[in-house]
Amino acid sequence: MGRGAQSFSPWWLRLTVVAIFLTALAATWTTNAWLTARFSENTRVRSELRLALYTGNLLSELQRNAVVPLLLARDPALIRSLDSNDFSITSAQLMAAQREIGAASIRLLDASGRTVASTDRYQLGTNSVNARYFVDALRSRDTVFNVANQGSALYEFTYSRAVVSDGRTLGVIVVGVDLSRLEKSWAGISDAVAVTDSEGNIILATEPRWRGRTLPEALEVRSAPSAIQRAFQVTADWTAPPADAYLQGRAVMQSEARVPFRGWRMISFTTYASIRERVNAVLALEIMGFAILLAGTFYALSRRARRQSAAYMRESADLRALNMRLTREIAERERVQKELRVAEQTMQQSSKLAALGEMSAGVSHELNQPLAAMKTYLAGARLLLQRGRSEEAMSSFQRIDDLIERMGAITRQLKSYARKGGEAVEPVDLRAAVSSALTMMEPQLRTRSIRVVQNRPRGKVMVLADRIRLEQVIINLLRNAVDAVKDKRDARIEISVETGAHAYVSVRDNGPGVSDLEKLFEPFWTTKKPGEGTGLGLAISSSIVADFGGRLTAHNENEGGAVFMVELPLHDPDQPNRALAAE
C-alpha cells in the first residue's frame, strides 16, 4: 500500500501544477477582460462629459465675441473718425474696448481696406483689401465669421462687420477671437484634443503639428523625440480592448462630438494608462495568490527530486561511457575530413590543367585576328609596290611589324590565363584602348559596308588594367559584332565610352541578337558554324575583365541587336597602383 501511494504521488503533483497553472491563466484572462471593459466604459463616459464641457466653452467664447463687431460698428466715435479721417485716438479707444471685452485683437479698416486703427500698432497701415473678412463683410452687411490659415500651423479666427452710416460703407471692424487659451486648458486635462472644420481640416489642436491637416494625416505625423516622445506608431496592446487610434505609442480611446457651429467637430484621444494601472493592480494580487500556491506545489516536487538524484548519478556513468565513444567517432571524422581536403586539392589541380588547355585554345583564337589583319595589309602592300608607291607600302609593313609584336605579347600571356591573376596592371586610358582596338579591326571593317559610330568623352577615362589584354577584350567584342551584322544591309556598330560611378565600354550592333544569354559566357559554346569559332572568346574576355575587378554583361535590345558592356572601376590617382599577383 505504501509503494502504491509513493508511485501515485508524483503524477498527482504534476496534475496539480498543471491544473493550478491553467486555472491561473483562465482567471487572469477573465479578470483582465472584465475589469478592462468596465474601467474602459467609465473612462469613455468621462471623456464624453469632458467633450461636452469643451464644446460649451468653445461656443461660449465664439458667441461672446460675435456681438462685439455689431456694437463697435454702431459706435458714433468710430463712425466720426472714419468720416473725418481723424484716427489719432481711435487706436486707444479700440485698446480700451479690448481690455473690457477680452478679444484677441480689434482692427478698424477704411473703405479701401487699409488698417487705420488697431490694438496692435504693427498692423497700422497694412492693406487687407483681398482678405476674406474684409470682402465678406462688405458683401453681407452683417457680422461674418472667418478662419484664415496664417501658415506655420497657426489659424486666425475673426468676426467682421461693415461700418455703415447714412447708407454709405465707411469701413470694416474686425475682431479677433483668442481660442489658443482653450487649447492650453484642454492640454492640461486630456491627452489630445482636436477641432475640425466642415471640410475635415484640423483648426484647433493641443498638438500644434496637427493644425492644417486632416485627422488621418495628423495621426501619421511623428514628432521629434525631444517633444516628450509624442510619436505616433502602431503598437498592439493585447491587454486592452480594440483601440480607436494610436497616440504616443500607446492605444488610445477616441471620442467625438458635434459642435453646433459651422459644421465643426471635436475629437479627443484618451489613453488607457489609468485603466491599465487599476486593472494591473488587481491582476498583481491575483497572480501573487497563484504564485504562493505554486510555490507549495514545487516544494512537494523538490522532495521527489532528491530521491531521483541517486538515479541520476548512476546515469552519469553511462553518459561518460557514451562521451568516450563520441570522442573516438570525432577523431575518425577529423581523419576523413583531412583525406577529403587532399582529394579537393587534387581536384583543383586537375581543374587548373583543364583550364590551361582551354586557355591555349583561346590564345589560338586570339591570334586569328592579327593574322587576318596581316593578310589584308600584305595584300595592300603588294598592290602599293606594284604601283610604285613604296612609302605607303612601308606604312603597311610597319603595321604588320606592330601586329607581329602584338602576337608575341599574346603568346606570352598563355601562362597568365592558366593562373588566377595576370601581369601587373597600370593606368590605361580607356579611350586609347578603344582607338587601338578599332585600328586593329580597321582591315575587317573596310572589307564590309559597316557603319561604325563612336561616342567618347573629351577627357581621359583612366582604369587600372593590362592594356594588351583590355584591347583583346574590345577586339573580341567588335569581331563578334561584325559577325552579327554580316547579313544586314544597313549594318551598324556603335562603340561608346562613358564614365560615372565606374567606367563603361559598350559595343552595340543591330544584328539578330543573342539566342541564349544564359550560356553566352560558357566555354566552347558558340552560335557560329563548325570551324568558324571555338566558343572561347567571350569566356576568356569575361575572365580578363574579372581579373581587372570589373564585369562583362550582355543583353538584347527591344528593337533588335545585342549590347555587350564592360564595366571597370575608375582609377583613383591617390591610391597606389595595384598589381595582380603572379603564381
Side-chain angles (χ1 to χ4, degrees):
M1 186 69 179
R3 291 183 180 179
Q6 184 178 3
S7 62
F8 178 77
S9 177
W11 290 104
W12 180 81
L13 290 174
R14 292 191 183 96
L15 291 176
T16 302
V17 171
V18 173
I20 293 174
F21 179 76
L22 294 177
T23 302
L25 183 62
T28 303
W29 184 273
T30 303
T31 303
N32 173 74
W34 183 74
L35 291 178
T36 300
R38 181 178 178 183
F39 293 151
S40 297
E41 184 61 27
N42 294 338
T43 302
R44 186 176 294 276
V45 170
R46 288 196 298 271
S47 176
E48 292 175 353
L49 290 176
R50 283 198 300 269
L51 273 183
L53 177 62
Y54 296 162
T55 301
N57 292 340
L58 179 60
L59 287 175
S60 176
E61 185 69 19
L62 291 172
Q63 291 172 358
R64 185 173 62 85
N65 288 272
V67 299
V68 177
L70 176 62
L71 298 176
L72 294 178
R74 297 176 179 178
D75 189 352
L78 295 182
I79 295 175
R80 285 195 301 271
S81 64
L82 289 173
D83 275 332
S84 61
N85 285 328
D86 182 11
F87 307 104
S88 57
I89 63 172
T90 307
S91 294
Q93 294 174 345
L94 295 182
M95 291 179 185
Q98 180 191 23
R99 287 192 295 271
E100 295 177 1
I101 299 169
S105 64
I106 304 176
R107 285 173 287 170
L108 179 64
L109 282 64
D110 61 12
S112 65
R114 185 172 60 91
T115 302
V116 295
S118 174
T119 56
D120 184 0
R121 61 188 182 88
Y122 293 105
Q123 294 181 348
L124 292 175
T126 59
N127 196 298
S128 304
V129 67
N130 296 322
R132 288 290 303 275
Y133 51 77
F134 180 77
V135 176
D136 292 348
L138 293 180
R139 291 176 178 175
S140 65
R141 297 299 178 90
D142 199 356
T143 303
V144 295
F145 180 79
N146 277 285
V147 180
N149 190 342
Q150 295 182 323
S152 301
L154 294 176
Y155 279 86
E156 181 186 26
F157 305 90
T158 58
Y159 281 104
S160 59
R161 186 182 181 92
V163 179
V164 181
S165 176
D166 297 332
R168 294 183 302 111
T169 301
L170 303 179
V172 173
I173 189 73
V174 182
V175 178
V177 183
D178 183 13
L179 300 181
S180 60
R181 59 183 179 180
L182 296 179
E183 292 178 323
K184 296 177 182 178
S185 64
W186 298 341
I189 300 176
S190 300
D191 294 294
V193 178
V195 177
T196 61
D197 59 13
S198 59
E199 297 179 355
N201 296 318
I202 297 177
I203 55 177
L204 291 172
T206 55
E207 173 57 55
R209 293 167 63 95
W210 286 9
R211 300 190 194 104
R213 305 174 184 268
T214 61
L215 190 59
E217 294 174 346
L219 293 178
E220 293 178 359
V221 173
R222 295 181 177 270
S223 302
S226 58
I228 319 177
Q229 298 297 331
R230 287 183 172 271
F232 299 94
Q233 56 186 10
V234 179
T235 54
D237 185 2
W238 68 273
T239 59
D244 300 325
Y246 292 90
L247 173 65
Q248 295 179 327
R250 296 172 294 176
V252 295
M253 179 187 301
Q254 177 177 338
S255 301
E256 185 173 339
R258 188 179 66 86
V259 180
F261 181 78
R262 301 174 67 90
W264 288 8
R265 304 191 70 83
M266 182 177 291
I267 304 97
S268 72
F269 299 95
T270 306
T271 65
Y272 292 95
S274 59
I275 300 173
R276 293 267 28 100
E277 290 175 359
R278 288 183 287 175
V279 173
N280 290 340
V282 178
L283 292 180
L285 294 175
E286 191 173 23
I287 292 173
M288 185 174 63
F290 284 109
I292 294 173
L293 184 59
L294 283 175
T297 305
F298 289 145
Y299 172 75
L301 289 176
S302 66
R303 299 181 60 185
R304 177 175 175 269
R306 287 193 296 270
R307 292 194 298 268
Q308 292 178 341
S309 61
Y312 291 154
M313 293 179 66
R314 291 191 298 270
E315 293 177 0
S316 64
D318 297 335
L319 291 175
R320 284 193 295 270
L322 178 61
N323 187 39
M324 295 286 292
R325 187 168 67 252
L326 290 175
T327 301
R328 290 193 297 270
E329 292 180 359
I330 290 172
E332 180 66 18
R333 188 181 187 89
E334 290 177 350
R335 184 185 63 81
V336 173
Q337 287 179 346
K338 290 180 180 178
E339 295 178 354
L340 179 60
R341 283 195 292 269
V342 173
E344 289 177 350
Q345 291 175 358
T346 304
M347 290 292 294
Q348 291 176 0
Q349 186 63 26
S350 300
S351 299
K352 285 186 176 181
L353 293 176
L356 181 60
E358 293 180 2
M359 295 304 106
S360 299
V363 171
S364 299
H365 171 271
E366 296 296 336
L367 289 177
N368 287 334
Q369 298 173 1
L371 285 173
M374 288 170 60
K375 184 177 180 180
T376 303
Y377 284 133
L378 283 173
R382 184 183 297 110
L383 182 60
L384 291 172
L385 289 174
Q386 290 175 356
R387 296 181 179 178
R389 297 159 64 180
S390 57
E391 292 182 358
E392 297 180 15
M394 289 299 296
S395 176
S396 297
F397 288 138
Q398 180 60 42
R399 292 187 178 182
I400 293 172
D401 183 66
D402 294 340
L403 291 174
I404 293 173
E405 182 180 353
R406 181 178 185 84
M407 291 170 63
I410 291 174
T411 56
R412 286 193 299 271
Q413 292 173 0
L414 177 59
K415 181 180 178 180
S416 68
Y417 288 144
R419 295 195 302 254
K420 179 181 179 180
E423 298 179 359
V425 296
E426 60 182 359
V428 177
D429 187 357
L430 205 53
R431 303 177 307 157
V434 171
S435 298
S436 180
L438 288 172
T439 302
M440 181 73 71
M441 290 295 298
E442 182 179 357
Q444 298 185 40
L445 295 173
R446 285 182 176 179
T447 58
R448 306 180 185 182
S449 56
I450 301 175
R451 180 187 176 192
V452 179
V453 179
Q454 302 181 46
N455 295 316
R456 288 181 288 179
R458 295 183 178 180
K460 293 182 178 181
V461 182
M462 304 302 295
V463 297
L464 281 178
D466 179 1
R467 178 166 180 170
I468 294 178
R469 300 177 70 193
L470 180 58
E471 291 176 4
Q472 289 176 1
V473 173
I474 301 173
I475 290 172
N476 192 26
L477 297 181
L478 288 172
R479 189 166 180 268
N480 287 342
V482 171
D483 293 338
V485 299
K486 62 182 180 180
D487 296 331
K488 297 283 291 187
R489 291 185 178 180
D490 54 344
R492 183 175 183 270
I493 297 175
E494 180 180 347
I495 180 167
S496 302
V497 178
E498 299 176 356
T499 180
H502 293 78
Y504 304 92
V505 177
S506 62
V507 178
R508 181 181 286 103
D509 62 69
N510 61 344
V514 181
S515 59
D516 194 344
L517 291 172
E518 295 181 358
K519 298 181 179 180
L520 186 60
F521 298 104
E522 293 183 3
F524 302 107
W525 185 87
T526 179
T527 58
K528 299 177 182 178
K529 297 180 181 179
E532 295 184 0
T534 62
L536 289 171
L538 290 177
I540 295 173
S541 298
S542 179
S543 176
I544 293 174
V545 175
D547 287 343
F548 298 154
R551 62 174 182 170
L552 175 60
T553 58
H555 66 273
N556 291 324
E557 295 280 51
N558 295 331
E559 61 272 11
V563 179
F564 289 84
M565 179 169 290
V566 177
E567 178 182 349
L568 293 171
L570 287 170
H571 169 55
D572 186 357
D574 296 332
Q575 298 294 331
N577 292 347
R578 298 182 293 110
L580 298 177
E583 293 184 352

